[in-house]
Amino acid sequence: MVPSLLACTATASGQDRAELGDQAKTLDAVVVTARLDRVPAFEVPASITTVEIEGRSGFNLGLPKQLGRVAGVSARDRQNFAQDMQLSIRGFGARATFGVRGIRLYADGIPATMPDGQGQVSHFSLLGGGSIEVLRGPFSALHGNSSGGVVQWRSAEPTPEPELLVQSSIGRDDYHALGARLRGTTGSNGYNIAVQGFETQGYRDHSAARRTQLHGKVGFDLGAGGTLDVVASRLDAPNALDPLGLTRAQVSEDPTQATAAAHAFNTRKSVMHQQMGVLHTLALGPGTLRTTTSAGERQVEQVLAVPVAAQANPLSAGGVIALADRFSGMDARWSWQGTLAGRAAEMTLGISVERQRQHRRGFENFDGATLGVRGALRRDERGQVLAVDQYAQAWWHVASKWSILLGARHSTVRFQASDQYVTAANPDDSGRVRYSQTTPVAGLVYAPGENLRLYLSAGRGFETPTFNELGYRADGGAGLALDLRPAVSHNLEVGGKWRHASGARIEAALFRTDTSDEVAVASNVGGRSTYRNVGASRRAGVELMLDVPVSQRWTLQGTYTGLDARFRTAFPICAAAGCQQPGVLVAAGTRIPGVARQQLQASAQWRSGAWWATIEGSAVGEVSVNDQGDERAPGYALANLAAGWRSRLANQRVDTFVRIENLLDRAHIGSVIVNEGNRRYYEPGAGRGIQIGVRWTWDAPPSP
């Protein structure tokens, strides 16, 4: 077996906070997602949470558990590495059956979301990471298309002296992980290089996978020329097996099984992703100019379980997807900080240009009687997306207890497709479409006391269809689905934030989002999915967050999300595979699938000297799995337990941990595949499992 590298660290415990010291305060002051340089998150009229992933308490926690601790965020582990995790924020992105959509993603300021709105988090390196910042609510719209929320991953800061870290862990299902990170400072230049990955046989049958990742960031101090950061990442994930979803009956029979079709077609997915970005910061006149330039490519080959008979349809795109994306972008923004009428103010003006070139081919997933191989060509299409945005933002401490934040963004997104597979029975699907939208936002903050902030914010956002959704018309005709309109959302949020010198924090928010022209599946025919606008929807709810250091040894944390997400207008759908004419009516008031009405997470962390321990609990309400709402995944509650110990010797540290997942061995559905055409909606979560790990850290002695 090839050694693989650990992609997981942990949210900082109470002990880690003490060690981080001033770093934790700095994280609060840098509001990356709100595009503010000097305004702390505490002063911003928005829900912003920073998760610190530099810590020692069970350093093999994956991204779903990291993000699952943020109120308003649903991060579901599919137990399927052939698919990205299922990520949604306040209900946005819940219907994505693969990847992440409806949410804007960044890694060190470099977009991880394509211009068409489809994103991936699989290349986020938690070993190389320092924090993850999550923005919810109206001000997400300042990031443009598909910004129902914003997730910003950031590298760990370089250490003053060289630091070498090596860590490894093992667990159930033949899980092996290994990782190494080197960071430090040479002169005035800092660096952070991490290599990591893992391999596993998987909790379910036919779910083995392995990944390797490389992340590097080097920062240069150019003196009068400003600062320059170079960031590069690479992900290699070959032949991750896909067990597919299960029906309710199959889950009851054996939740670890794979479907017969998964074995018959050897369903699997290979991904290669590499990306590089350059970030330059320069003092220019009375302000600061920041430019970000990036480029990358992502190659995917996926073998699906499309039946051979279905591919007899001349419109079928086959059962093997071969996708190559090349993408690039530039963002330039000028920020000014000063005073206006004698009070602190900050202003930002910017422009963003992103381009995506896509080559999508489809092949039959059989060759004669042999299944699960690349066969005859059935689709060959080249596409391009160009997104050009302009944005402005201004913050002003308008009075002693009042501040305002205003902003607007104008976005233009152009899609173009050229069909190079045209036959007498498969007409030309070429076409182009242009979308344009202006998204204003505004927020007001009131400070009745030093430790309390109350705020109100409102704004408009939008989400265009992705390349996949534009690919085919719902009426079966040739060309792009040019009748699809972008979904437009009107967002409102009211909230409060409280903090104390002891480190205690409490935050609460009420929110409502009304969306027109929601996009949903119209039909599934011959391996092709088509989409249509289905009318209005509403997502309304409450978020609560509590973080209280009870004593020097104990810290309590907890989040609660209540979310009511429903379609507000009735619409017809296709309710079975192969259906072409919608015949089932979804009633107004039906719940939006993929969204839990309630989520609760709580943890108690203890530390004493070299020892630490954490007990965690989480509960998730039932989840509707399809538009008609006739099936639901039941809710569940889980508990986890972890403990560890640190040994110090001169300039070396050794951290060890043991972690028990699903302590009570509860059966549960970890995630769902929304609107799966064969009613195989369910991806079971894993039972009880133990993981153990060790981390060795060497710090170079301070320079004389």
Side-chain angles (χ1 to χ4, degrees):
M1 299 174 71
V2 178
S4 48
L5 309 173
L6 183 60
C8 313
T9 53
T11 303
S13 67
Q15 184 167 348
D16 297 318
R17 291 181 190 150
E19 294 170 351
L20 286 166
D22 292 337
Q23 183 181 356
K25 298 177 183 178
T26 302
L27 289 174
D28 181 64
V30 181
V31 190
V32 178
T33 53
R35 299 188 187 276
L36 294 169
D37 295 325
R38 296 187 181 178
V39 183
F42 190 65
E43 305 291 345
V44 176
S47 296
I48 301 175
T49 301
T50 298
V51 178
E52 299 163 6
I53 55 178
E54 281 229 79
R56 75 187 199 185
S57 50
F59 46 78
N60 70 325
L61 291 180
L63 193 59
K65 291 185 176 62
Q66 302 279 3
L67 292 174
R69 299 180 178 187
V70 179
V73 175
S74 175
R76 290 173 168 259
D77 189 347
R78 295 182 181 274
Q79 297 294 323
N80 180 354
F81 292 103
Q83 306 294 343
D84 228 331
M85 77 173 186
Q86 191 176 62
L87 178 64
S88 65
I89 296 179
R90 293 184 177 178
F92 285 98
R95 73 172 181 272
T97 55
F98 61 92
V100 178
R101 61 156 303 163
I103 299 170
R104 197 72 179 173
L105 306 172
Y106 295 90
D108 276 327
I110 298 171
T113 298
M114 303 283 188
D116 72 338
Q118 190 78 38
Q120 300 85 24
V121 296
S122 54
H123 66 289
F124 284 6
S125 166
L126 292 184
L127 180 58
S131 66
I132 303 173
E133 189 173 279
V134 182
L135 169 67
R136 292 93 72 201
F139 278 90
S140 302
L142 286 181
H143 291 263
N145 177 29
S146 295
S147 296
V150 182
V151 177
Q152 167 80 253
W153 174 93
R154 285 183 286 175
S155 295
E157 294 296 323
T159 50
E161 303 295 336
E163 175 199 80
L164 175 62
L165 178 153
V166 179
Q167 63 186 37
S168 180
S169 64
I170 59 174
R172 62 185 170 201
D173 309 317
D174 289 330
Y175 173 86
H176 302 272
L178 180 66
R181 182 183 70 193
L182 177 66
R183 59 176 178 158
T185 303
T186 301
S188 58
N189 305 321
Y191 55 89
N192 175 355
I193 301 172
V195 59
Q196 58 186 47
F198 67 89
E199 62 181 349
T200 178
Q201 289 302 305
Y203 168 67
R204 295 176 57 195
D205 185 24
H206 196 76
S207 63
R210 61 185 176 94
R211 289 183 180 179
T212 57
Q213 288 179 276
L214 176 66
H215 165 77
K217 180 178 180 180
V218 182
F220 302 93
D221 186 344
L222 306 180
T227 63
L228 184 71
D229 291 326
V230 179
V231 183
S233 63
R234 179 182 172 90
L235 165 72
D236 187 18
N239 293 318
L241 301 183
D242 188 349
L244 304 178
L246 301 177
T247 65
R248 284 294 293 272
Q250 289 172 327
V251 171
S252 299
E253 176 186 304
D254 179 6
T256 67
Q257 69 177 301
T259 65
H263 286 291
F265 289 94
N266 191 24
T267 48
R268 61 196 184 275
K269 182 179 180 180
S270 295
V271 177
M272 189 283 293
H273 177 105
Q274 54 188 5
Q275 190 168 2
M276 176 174 286
V278 177
L279 301 87
H280 183 233
T281 302
L282 176 68
L284 186 64
T288 302
L289 177 65
R290 290 176 172 82
T291 58
T292 302
T293 305
S294 62
E297 63 175 331
R298 187 177 180 91
Q299 298 181 8
V300 177
E301 179 165 305
Q302 184 170 12
V303 179
L304 306 174
V306 178
V308 172
Q311 296 171 71
N313 185 325
L315 297 181
S316 172
V320 176
I321 298 172
L323 182 64
D325 273 299
R326 293 188 176 182
F327 46 90
S328 59
M330 182 278 295
D331 182 276
R333 60 186 174 102
W334 180 78
S335 299
W336 168 85
Q337 302 90 30
T339 59
L340 181 63
R343 295 192 177 276
E346 181 171 334
M347 180 178 67
T348 298
L349 300 173
I351 183 170
S352 172
V353 179
E354 295 181 322
R355 187 178 187 181
Q356 174 184 353
R357 291 178 176 271
Q358 183 179 94
H359 186 195
R360 178 184 291 269
R361 292 177 296 164
F363 301 87
E364 294 175 344
N365 57 4
F366 64 93
D367 184 3
T370 305
L371 304 181
V373 296
R374 181 187 287 198
L377 180 70
R378 298 297 300 272
R379 182 180 184 181
D380 190 354
E381 180 180 288
R382 294 185 181 270
Q384 179 175 302
V385 183
L386 179 65
V388 180
D389 293 24
Q390 307 85 35
Y391 57 89
Q393 182 174 284
W395 176 86
W396 185 25
H397 199 277
V398 65
S400 61
K401 294 186 177 183
W402 296 88
S403 63
I404 58 174
L405 182 60
L406 306 173
R409 185 171 182 125
H410 179 75
S411 303
T412 301
V413 186
R414 295 179 173 89
F415 289 81
Q416 180 178 341
S418 175
D419 190 356
Q420 300 180 352
Y421 181 80
V422 180
T423 69
N426 190 335
D428 190 349
D429 290 330
S430 302
R432 63 180 64 194
V433 65
R434 175 183 179 272
Y435 300 110
S436 183
Q437 189 69 230
T438 298
T439 53
V441 292
L444 179 67
V445 176
Y446 172 59
E450 180 181 358
N451 296 324
L452 179 63
R453 299 293 183 268
L454 305 175
Y455 67 89
L456 173 69
S457 61
R460 182 170 65 217
F462 83 113
E463 179 181 349
T464 69
T466 64
F467 249 137
N468 288 333
E469 293 165 342
L470 284 171
Y472 306 108
R473 288 168 41 175
D475 62 6
L480 297 177
L482 301 180
D483 58 333
L484 279 178
R485 300 178 297 277
V488 177
S489 301
H490 293 85
N491 308 286
L492 181 67
E493 179 176 338
V494 58
K497 307 175 184 181
W498 175 85
R499 66 181 180 183
H500 189 266
S502 65
R505 297 182 301 142
I506 299 176
E507 297 182 7
L510 296 171
F511 60 89
R512 192 181 82 179
T513 300
D514 290 318
T515 302
S516 59
D517 290 327
E518 278 274 357
V519 178
V521 173
S523 66
N524 286 288
V525 179
R528 289 186 172 184
S529 294
T530 65
Y531 297 82
R532 64 190 298 265
N533 296 102
V534 298
S537 65
R538 172 172 291 173
R539 298 166 175 87
V542 59
E543 294 173 358
L544 300 173
M545 186 280 291
L546 172 72
D547 189 345
V548 178
V550 179
S551 67
Q552 289 187 342
R553 294 188 177 184
W554 286 94
T555 299
L556 301 180
Q557 295 178 324
T559 61
Y560 170 78
T561 305
L563 177 57
D564 187 26
R566 298 181 182 273
F567 297 111
R568 299 187 67 198
T569 55
F571 60 93
I573 63 168
C574 280
C579 165
Q580 195 165 8
Q581 295 297 325
V584 175
L585 187 69
V586 175
T590 302
R591 288 170 53 185
I592 295 175
V595 179
R597 294 196 65 176
Q598 297 188 84
Q599 289 187 177
L600 176 67
Q601 177 274 328
S603 67
Q605 302 170 354
W606 169 86
R607 62 180 178 88
S608 179
W611 295 89
W612 61 264
T614 299
I615 185 168
E616 305 166 348
S618 62
V620 179
E622 66 176 13
V623 176
S624 177
V625 298
N626 54 20
D627 286 340
Q628 60 266 42
D630 62 354
E631 280 203 39
R632 296 179 181 180
Y636 60 86
L638 303 177
N640 307 314
L641 182 64
W645 174 74
R646 166 172 288 182
S647 173
R648 294 181 181 269
L649 178 62
N651 58 336
Q652 301 181 58
R653 302 188 305 275
V654 176
D655 292 300
T656 58
F657 83 93
V658 59
R659 182 176 177 87
I660 305 176
E661 295 280 351
N662 194 357
L663 181 64
L664 303 179
D665 200 24
R666 300 292 191 187
H668 65 289
I669 301 298
S671 64
V672 298
I673 305 172
V674 173
N675 288 322
E676 208 280 337
N678 297 290
R679 303 186 74 86
R680 297 193 295 250
Y681 305 115
Y682 306 101
E683 294 180 301
R688 182 190 297 118
I690 299 177
Q691 298 175 344
I692 60 175
V694 59
R695 168 191 283 174
W696 172 78
T697 306
W698 172 82
D699 298 303
S703 301

